[in-house]
Amino acid sequence: MPTFEAKAWLALRTRLTSLALTPVLPIAWPNEVFTPPAGGYLRVTYAPNVVVRQYTNSRVSYRPGIFLVNVVSKLNQNMAVAIEIAGKVAAHFPQDLRMSYQDVTLYVEKEPDVRQPLITESFVEVPVVVWYAAVA
């Protein structure tokens, strides 16, 4: 039986894989072999946060975290392309969305943040920050 943490990861992963983009962009998952294509792709970072006990005499815990999806796009291309894709990723994780895997349910705490584009030597990256939590 998977742990809470594994189920939370699988709920988020399942949700992102259901995103229909045209053209389809490959996803660079943490700790999985990935060869970046010449075009664009999505890169995922999973960052669970500190578990907080809800009440002193309770076994209920608040379990927040960040699911970061960077939209990676070719350099020297219209910036609107990457920003548009980032907007679609954000819209796929609307505030109050419930995501479940087996007996674990996460919810999106607030509208995702589409952050400032980061320009590197090879790519432009637009971060999309999804703030999620569970009460378990």
Side-chain angles (χ1 to χ4, degrees):
M1 179 77 140
T3 62
F4 172 90
E5 290 76 13
K7 292 174 189 176
W9 162 250
L10 291 168
L12 290 160
R13 182 178 175 128
T14 300
R15 178 66 184 178
L16 183 59
T17 58
S18 73
L19 174 62
L21 290 174
T22 303
V24 174
L25 296 177
I27 301 173
W29 299 104
N31 200 38
E32 292 185 20
V33 176
F34 183 79
T35 303
Y41 64 95
L42 304 178
R43 188 178 71 240
V44 172
T45 302
Y46 175 60
N49 206 333
V50 177
V51 176
V52 178
R53 189 172 175 178
Q54 285 288 84
Y55 307 104
T56 305
N57 295 324
S58 172
R59 292 182 183 259
V60 176
S61 296
Y62 170 71
R63 297 170 175 263
I66 294 171
F67 188 65
L68 176 65
V69 181
N70 278 25
V71 177
V72 182
S73 175
K74 292 189 300 188
L75 193 60
N76 299 321
Q77 163 177 293
N78 185 343
M79 184 81 72
V81 173
I83 293 170
E84 175 67 12
I85 294 168
K88 290 178 180 180
V89 171
H92 195 63
F93 290 90
Q95 181 175 315
D96 298 326
L97 171 73
R98 300 293 197 251
M99 297 165 281
S100 297
Y101 188 86
Q102 294 180 354
D103 61 339
V104 168
T105 299
L106 307 178
Y107 66 94
V108 176
E109 289 194 294
K110 66 181 217 59
E111 291 297 324
D113 297 319
V114 176
R115 297 281 177 91
Q116 174 182 350
L118 308 167
I119 300 173
T120 68
E121 292 180 12
S122 307
F123 293 98
V124 172
E125 299 185 28
V126 181
V128 179
V129 183
V130 178
W131 304 86
Y132 73 88
V135 177

